[in-house]
Amino acid sequence: MKLWGGRFAASTDKSVDDFNSSIRFDARMYMQDIEGSLAHAEMLGKCGIIPAEDAKLICTTLHEILADIEKGQVQFEIDAEDIHMNIETILISRIGDTGKRLHTGRSRNDQVALDLRMYLKAETAAIKLMLTDLLHTLLDISERHLDTILPGYTHLQRAQPVTLAHHMMAYFQMFRRDIGRLEDCYKRMDVMPLGSGALAGTTYPLDRQFVAEKLGFSAITENSLDGVSDRDFAIELASCISMIMMHLSRFSEEMVLWSSGEFSFVEMDDAFSTGSSIMPQKKNPDVAELVRGKTGRVYGSLMTLLTVMKSLPLAYNKDMQEDKEAIFDAIDTVKMCLPVFTKMLATMKIKKDNMYKAAQGGFTNATDVADYLVKKGIPFRSAHEIIGKMVLYCINNSKAIEELSLEEFKGFSDKIEQDVYIEVSLEKCVSGRNLPGGPSAESVKASIESGREFLKDQ
Ligand code: ARG
């Protein structure tokens, strides 16, 4: 039996029932739906809109239904369309006419808006927590590798030496910003739409503020049309998640590269790698690759949401039922990626010697030799030219800059003295870059400290 069957002479075609139904994917909001109904029923009783004892019976029965769902004893029906009508149907089947009073002054349009906001609020908090775990891991790795030198890259060409701590703390900044974005997005999610009705509010004297407080919302929506048709909060969350995935995919790409034989900077733990069914020697960084790949599906969800909402006239339209699978999939995906990625990082072996060797090649200290000449009074542009020639000489003679004899050095500039050897050491290149934000151990320590402070408040 359809809760809205009164106006219809014929029943819906079976194919339409299947097509129309969202229970397959919105059943996961059963908890939020029941919590919302509990607050609504209590408010209806308190305001004298329904008899207080009816409100009480509705609430105790809703609690029973919740317990039964959690015990796996409730079978949802496609015929009842969605989670909202499934639960209401069960309620009515248990307490008859009293149950029929629950939907007073409410529409499924504001009900679904409420449930989704509640569901997404909880998930936003859960994702934030996973991000803080990742941030802790990044701080731990950084603390251990303040002096682990590796090449920094631009254009994926060796550029200047940095440290692994500095590199990891770059990702720390990205994920810290992601937490900020989630917090900001949460503020707009945290607004209570019940009382918007189908679209034009209601004539019942509902206490919207009471419901908002009961459900832990900070505010109530200010326009009933917007209250039922706004899905910005879901799009914002999908966008925050997309950004997290973009960061994870950049990180993954580096871990894939770094675990290749060519780089060999890290080795994933056996527990976070897989083999090949044909090539016995293979150890593949599948976790990082999958995270990189799953980024695509999350972007797809964001695009789905934007496109579903595009051009929709006010207020509610059934198109909006399509919001759920997209946002749920984005949430499920990022929640799957974050913990496994964090564990993969925490357990991977770091091959310090290979990192150092790579930093020794590629003339990563060339800028520092130019800076050395600048300190001896040569203008930077001229120094750049001189060192460019020096690098070319080194390439032709298969030498690193620090391997040149003082005589060879002097061939490029008579300003160069014995002290050049200290200046060109990788350690000096790193420690000399000690401005705030730089790779020196001192600078990175300060950034780690600020990171620990940030996490204390999370
Ligand atoms: N299942 C619907 C959705 O997800 C709930 C709201 C339906 N409202 C309606 N008037 N058909 O959007």
Side-chain angles (χ1 to χ4, degrees), residues 366-380:
T367 315
D368 294 78
V369 196
D371 289 341
Y372 170 85
L373 288 183
V374 171
K375 279 176 217 149
K376 303 264 170 173
I378 296 177
F380 181 76

Side-chain angles (χ1 to χ4, degrees), residues 186-356:
Y186 186 91
K187 286 183 211 151
R188 283 174 293 279
M189 215 176 260
D190 192 19
V191 187
M192 208 288 297
L194 226 56
S196 301
L199 75 163
T202 173
T203 53
Y204 296 101
L206 307 183
D207 187 345
R208 299 190 63 207
Q209 205 59 55
F210 174 88
V211 175
E213 275 160 33
K214 198 89 206 151
L215 295 174
F217 278 93
S218 304
I220 56 175
T221 52
E222 286 191 24
N223 180 295
S224 64
L225 293 167
D226 183 52
V228 290
S229 63
D230 169 27
R231 292 294 182 272
D232 294 1
F233 57 93
I235 298 175
E236 280 190 60
L237 179 58
S239 149
C240 292
I241 296 175
S242 295
M243 195 85 92
I244 297 169
M245 292 300 300
M246 182 267 284
H247 293 150
L248 283 176
S249 79
R250 294 181 71 177
F251 209 159
S252 293
E253 168 71 5
E254 293 202 319
M255 294 307 105
V256 171
L257 283 172
W258 286 13
S259 51
S260 69
E262 285 71 11
F263 273 81
S264 199
F265 285 1
V266 295
E267 184 180 336
M268 297 308 162
D269 192 83
D270 281 1
F272 291 87
S273 318
T274 52
S276 157
S277 55
I278 175 167
M279 298 168 281
Q281 86 284 9
K282 287 298 289 286
K283 182 170 175 185
N284 298 328
D286 285 29
V287 169
E289 291 171 84
L290 262 180
V291 169
R292 190 176 60 183
K294 283 175 188 294
T295 305
R297 68 189 284 161
V298 171
Y299 289 3
S301 294
L302 172 61
M303 205 43 66
T304 298
L305 286 165
L306 284 167
T307 313
V308 163
M309 294 309 292
K310 174 184 176 294
S311 318
L312 282 190
L314 292 178
Y316 176 81
N317 300 272
K318 188 75 172 196
D319 313 44
M320 289 159 69
Q321 182 165 285
E322 292 290 313
D323 59 1
K324 279 165 224 59
E325 283 164 294
I327 189 64
F328 292 163
D329 192 72
I331 291 167
D332 294 347
T333 304
V334 75
K335 283 176 72 182
M336 223 190 304
C337 291
L338 279 170
V340 66
F341 189 86
T342 300
K343 275 191 263 171
M344 178 198 79
L345 280 186
T347 55
M348 76 187 176
K349 192 166 102 201
I350 288 156
K351 299 176 171 175
K352 283 171 86 154
D353 292 349
N354 289 348
M355 289 181 175
Y356 194 83

Side-chain angles (χ1 to χ4, degrees), residues 22 26 81-82 84 108-109 112 316 318 320-321 324:
S22 53
D26 65 16
E81 208 172 309
D82 52 27
H84 326 295
R108 261 188 306 152
N109 297 351
V112 70
Y316 176 81
K318 188 75 172 196
M320 289 159 69
Q321 182 165 285
K324 279 165 224 59

Side-chain angles (χ1 to χ4, degrees), residues 1-4 12 14 17-18 21 23 76-82 85-86:
M1 221 275 290
K2 297 264 185 309
L3 290 177
W4 42 255
T12 4
K14 179 80 185 72
D17 273 339
D18 291 339
S21 171
I23 189 65
F76 294 129
E77 305 292 343
I78 284 187
D79 276 9
E81 208 172 309
D82 52 27
M85 288 202 299
N86 263 280

Side-chain angles (χ1 to χ4, degrees), residues 413-428:
S413 165
D414 57 5
K415 305 263 185 206
I416 301 180
E417 303 293 341
Q418 188 65 31
D419 59 354
V420 73
Y421 291 103
I422 302 163
E423 286 304 306
V424 298
S425 76
L426 294 178
E427 286 73 12
K428 185 71 200 299

